[in-house]
Amino acid sequence: MSGALVERLRAARRILLLTGAGVSAESGLATFRGPDGMWEGRDPMSLATPEAFAEDPETVWRFYAWRREQAARAEPNPAHRAIAALQQERSGTSLVTQNVDGLHERAGSPETVRLHGSLWRLRCTGGCGEDEDLRQDLGTLPARCACGELLRPGVVWFGESLPQAAIAAATAAAESAELVIVAGTSSVVYPAAALPELARRHGAYVVEVNPEATPLTGRVDEALPNPAGTALPALVRAAGVRFEES
Ligand code: BV8
Ligand code: ZN
């Protein structure tokens, strides 16, 4: 961690945290890409599409039921908790996540901009407008709406637009941030992957937290090759926020 970064952490009024699946890796959740990301021998990329759902809704529903079970069993880790502590202490902090697992919310993050939706929401594929929290067991999959049409997971699939309000909030946060911390994302999925670049053009100091190099690594002000569960508590403490790991 450079002196310039410590300075920014102390002084920045607007900080943007942009997170991906790597932030939940230390909670035991598989990342989207990589050897442990497979499900029944299939690449998640091939399941997270409207085409896959149209062709075989039951298989896609089973994939998401499995993801929900994993997420329900997992606990937030020090990375999630450090982010929540920073948000609580410094009101100009924004959290924008690509994650759908709900762990930021469970760690106590007061506000989370969810770019890719949530495993804990469902929507109707018909025209009835149903869009609700998932509460009870869905029973037989694929689940059906009261109107008779199929329900679908409340996530954003490849080729679908992101929620308008989320993309607007994320863009505004990127344009006004003095410091951006990008943690645990492979930085390959757009439009999320364009946010650090946008912030940088608007003058932000951009830091990446990822043990592996990504397409973003060469274009940041500082790359911290450490796991999020170690790096984020350290960054938050350097910002002057008291944070206890347990
Ligand atoms: C859209 C939700 C308009 C569901 C997901 C060319 C240019 C621009 C765009 C495109 C393009 N070609 C195609 C597109 C469009 C496409 C896209 O970006 N494709 C890419 C792959 C090329 N984007 C879209 O379709 C988006 N919509 O653009 O609408 C449009 C429409 C049509 C055509 C054009 C435009 C919608 C994308 C949303 C997809 N939904 N998820 C679900 O989860 O099931 S995507 C999926 O990827 C993940 O769920 C996550 O949300 C997202 C990003 O993944 P990451 O979070 O980064 O996770 P990943 O596994 O990849 O990486 C983990 C990282 O963690 C690794 O780097 C690893 O090293 C690191 N790590 C591991 N352990 C740790 C760690 N880091 C820190 N600490 C650790 N301990
Ligand atoms: Zn319906």
Side-chain angles (χ1 to χ4, degrees), residues 11-237:
R13 274 159 306 136
R14 295 191 182 279
I15 302 176
L16 166 61
L17 285 129
L18 175 64
T19 65
V23 160
S24 295
E26 290 159 82
S27 293
L29 295 183
T31 55
F32 207 75
R33 290 166 191 79
D36 301 326
M38 302 295 279
W39 176 75
E40 296 187 355
R42 288 186 67 170
D43 176 357
M45 283 278 287
S46 74
L47 293 155
T49 67
E51 292 77 17
F53 187 73
E55 194 172 301
D56 185 355
E58 191 198 323
T59 296
V60 173
W61 259 119
R62 280 198 300 116
F63 169 60
Y64 283 95
W66 174 78
R67 299 260 305 275
R68 268 200 310 278
E69 269 168 43
Q70 304 287 307
R73 269 203 286 271
E75 292 295 332
N77 69 57
H80 300 106
R81 291 200 295 270
I83 292 169
L86 184 65
Q87 285 179 284
Q88 281 156 12
E89 234 22 69
R90 304 266 285 269
S91 61
T93 306
S94 305
L95 169 61
V96 175
T97 190
Q98 299 168 82
N99 297 346
V100 293
D101 56 34
L103 289 179
H104 282 302
E105 290 86 343
R106 283 172 55 200
S109 275
E111 267 184 82
T112 308
V113 175
R114 289 194 299 252
L115 291 176
H116 295 163
S118 169
L119 288 175
W120 307 101
R121 304 276 305 170
L122 13 106
R123 289 206 308 268
C124 181
T125 58
C128 86
E130 183 66 11
D131 183 342
E132 61 179 321
D133 280 332
L134 186 144
R135 290 171 219 283
Q136 77 284 22
D137 181 38
L138 289 167
T140 326
L141 297 175
R144 281 195 185 272
C145 182
C147 79
E149 298 292 335
L150 286 182
L151 286 168
R152 56 161 287 176
V155 299
V156 179
W157 284 326
F158 287 100
E160 295 184 322
S161 308
L162 277 61
Q164 196 53 52
I167 198 70
T171 302
E175 288 176 349
S176 65
E178 292 149 71
L179 174 63
V180 178
I181 300 169
V182 185
T185 175
S186 56
S187 289
V188 296
V189 175
Y190 284 82
L195 292 167
E197 209 72 58
L198 174 67
R200 211 157 175 234
R201 282 204 303 278
H202 283 77
Y205 190 87
V206 179
V207 181
E208 181 184 49
V209 173
N210 197 320
E212 309 287 336
T214 73
L216 181 69
T217 308
R219 296 183 288 161
V220 296
D221 295 293
E222 201 158 330
L224 303 176
N226 306 315
T230 312
L232 284 163
L235 287 168
V236 165
R237 287 199 190 98

